[in-house]
Amino acid sequence: MDKIYQLVGRVRRFIEAHWRMVLVTLSMIVVLQQCTINRLRWEVEQMATRPSVIMSHADSAAIADAKPNVVAAPDTAVPDSLSLHVPTEADTVREAVERSVPWVLIVIGVVLLGVGIYIFIAVRNAVFPFGVSFRSKLRKPGQGQVAFYVKVSNRSPKSVEVTSAQVNFVMGVGQVRRFRANIPSLPITLQPHTSFDSQINLTGLIGANLELFQAKAISMSLVVSGKTHTTLPHAVAFRQG
């Protein structure tokens, strides 16, 4: 179980550090998947409506043995430009790919442009998680000590108000115990391109509420400019001695 918690922690830290790349990658995957599905559906419909010519072995033998009634003129040859080309399945697939590639590139370009515009607007207006972001850790500074570290960063050109915070103990599915976080610096006005961090010692709170030893994860919620945002949950496994 400890290895699972460690793996979850690594994944969570990676997402917190590279959330922009993860968001853009997921958006591109969804768009490409939808384009592929639509293209395959269109190909199936085209193949279903396309007439096909099936020639049996007996028919081909009869055609080979048949003697034409028309006498071909001597020294007359069929020019290469008039030769009949029967498109194969490979030719059809290649043509379909050549037609679909420009549309896929256009869609990808539009999606990337839209994501870029949204991120730019979000940063300008201090929208979470682009203009304002959180970074949190669950620490054990000493024997039997539990502390929650949180850092709030304002990347936008606007000032934001961080008014209050609360600690959330996830007890199970749909069961959360919430407590007001004692952060002396709050409320605070966070100036553009600045940040502040704080560490809240949870040892006393957990000791006074023994049922919190059954918590599965801990997160923190902060009110920024009138809106409540919650950090990613940190898995915990308390051991009562």
Side-chain angles (χ1 to χ4, degrees):
M1 187 62 67
D2 293 338
K3 292 182 178 181
I4 295 178
Y5 289 146
Q6 292 177 3
L7 179 61
V8 172
R10 291 177 182 176
V11 173
R12 177 187 53 77
R13 287 190 293 271
F14 177 83
I15 294 175
E16 286 183 346
H18 307 282
W19 57 268
R20 295 184 184 86
M21 181 183 67
V22 173
L23 182 62
V24 173
T25 303
L26 291 177
S27 301
M28 292 180 62
I29 291 175
V30 171
V31 172
L32 290 176
Q33 183 181 16
Q34 189 61 39
C35 291
T36 303
I37 293 174
N38 293 338
R39 189 65 198 182
L40 291 176
R41 187 178 300 168
W42 180 84
E43 288 294 334
V44 171
E45 293 176 354
Q46 292 296 319
M47 293 179 65
T49 57
R50 186 182 301 148
S52 59
V53 178
I54 302 176
M55 183 178 295
S56 64
H57 179 72
D59 295 336
S60 60
I63 293 175
D65 295 337
K67 295 181 179 180
N69 295 326
V70 179
V71 178
D75 300 332
T76 302
V78 178
D80 295 338
S81 59
L82 298 180
S83 60
L84 180 62
H85 173 68
V86 179
T88 62
E89 184 177 355
D91 295 334
T92 304
V93 173
R94 184 174 61 255
E95 293 176 0
V97 172
E98 291 175 353
R99 289 194 301 267
S100 62
V101 167
W103 287 105
V104 172
L105 295 178
I106 292 173
V107 171
I108 292 175
V110 171
V111 171
L112 292 179
L113 180 62
V115 171
I117 293 175
Y118 174 77
I119 292 177
F120 175 78
I121 296 175
V123 171
R124 296 287 297 178
N125 293 278
V127 176
F128 179 84
F130 301 100
V132 178
S133 64
F134 302 151
R135 189 170 185 178
S136 59
K137 293 180 181 180
L138 195 63
R139 293 177 172 177
K140 296 181 180 179
Q143 184 67 25
Q145 301 290 314
V146 179
F148 196 97
Y149 169 84
V150 63
K151 180 178 181 180
V152 183
S153 300
N154 180 18
R155 301 189 181 95
S156 72
K158 300 173 58 177
S159 298
V160 296
E161 298 286 338
V162 185
T163 54
S164 62
Q166 69 178 17
V167 183
N168 310 310
F169 291 83
V170 181
M171 311 301 295
V173 180
Q175 299 178 356
V176 181
R177 293 288 308 275
R178 298 178 173 86
F179 298 88
R180 183 178 178 274
N182 184 18
I183 302 179
S185 57
L186 296 183
I188 186 175
T189 299
L190 201 57
Q191 298 298 325
H193 307 292
T194 60
S195 63
F196 92 96
D197 54 1
S198 179
Q199 182 168 290
I200 303 96
N201 195 324
L202 304 178
T203 306
L205 178 62
I206 296 173
N209 300 271
L210 298 181
E211 69 274 11
L212 298 180
F213 279 101
Q214 307 301 322
K216 308 299 182 184
I218 301 176
S219 65
M220 179 173 289
S221 299
L222 295 99
V223 179
V224 181
S225 298
K227 296 183 179 181
T228 302
H229 304 286
T230 303
T231 65
L232 293 174
H234 299 259
V236 294
F238 295 115
R239 295 180 182 178
Q240 292 181 267

